[in-house]
Amino acid sequence: EELLKHSSAAVLLACSKVFMNLTSTNSALNKQVLMRLKPPLLTLASTSPPELGYTVLAHIHLILSRGNASIMQADFKQFFCRYNDPTYIKVVKLEILTCLATEETVQPIVEEMSEYVADVDAEISRKSIRAICSIAMR
């Protein structure tokens, strides 16, 4: 419990990995662990330097891609891209937003992604169009 409040991202990510492995067989306990991990992960993703933020976002994407998207759905706006985010951060955020899109959240997510289509970075424009298509296909 104390390690979840640690300021080091390495400690938090290692703790989350251990907790995820220990609770992988019990889905109810796994959800409880994810709910406890959510605030420190979101804080680290938004306040860390870009390189560290990328690592935390990639970790969040891995958790969400394993079928735990409902954990972060209420906080989908945390993953909207900022104008000063580097390209690699924006790419991961687009992937996370694609995972978080549901019937309730699809409209604001697609509206936000449609703004990224006009981004000066061509890669972000292409990825946002692909993300919108991926959401539409589901």
Side-chain angles (χ1 to χ4, degrees):
E1 184 67 34
E2 293 174 18
L3 294 176
L4 293 179
K5 296 175 184 165
H6 204 278
S7 62
S8 170
V11 171
L12 179 65
L13 292 177
C15 266
S16 67
K17 183 178 178 182
V18 168
F19 283 143
M20 295 298 293
N21 285 335
L22 288 174
T23 62
S24 63
T25 57
N26 186 341
S27 63
L29 186 58
N30 194 344
K31 288 218 185 260
Q32 288 178 359
V33 166
L34 287 173
M35 291 305 289
R36 291 184 115 169
L37 289 172
K38 182 172 83 166
L41 285 174
L42 289 175
T43 301
L44 269 179
S46 63
T47 60
S48 299
E51 294 80 10
L52 193 55
Y54 173 80
T55 305
V56 175
L57 287 169
H59 193 76
I60 291 171
H61 182 251
L62 179 65
I63 290 171
L64 297 179
S65 65
R66 290 186 175 174
N68 298 306
S70 62
I71 300 297
M72 301 270 186
Q73 280 177 343
D75 300 305
F76 69 92
K77 289 185 179 180
Q78 296 279 329
F79 302 106
F80 284 173
C81 298
R82 292 186 226 123
Y83 72 94
N84 59 347
D85 281 341
T87 301
Y88 56 91
I89 296 278
K90 288 180 180 181
V91 168
V92 177
K93 284 184 175 183
L94 283 170
E95 292 170 356
I96 291 172
L97 286 171
T98 303
C99 290
L100 293 177
T102 62
E103 288 185 24
E104 295 83 30
T105 62
V106 71
Q107 184 177 359
I109 288 176
V110 170
E111 286 174 0
E112 184 71 17
M113 286 183 176
S114 65
E115 292 179 21
Y116 306 152
V117 171
D119 198 279
V120 293
D121 188 351
E123 180 183 0
I124 296 302
S125 296
R126 281 192 303 272
K127 298 256 185 199
S128 62
I129 291 169
R130 286 188 186 128
I132 291 170
C133 292
S134 173
I135 291 170
M137 297 287 282
R138 285 196 281 155

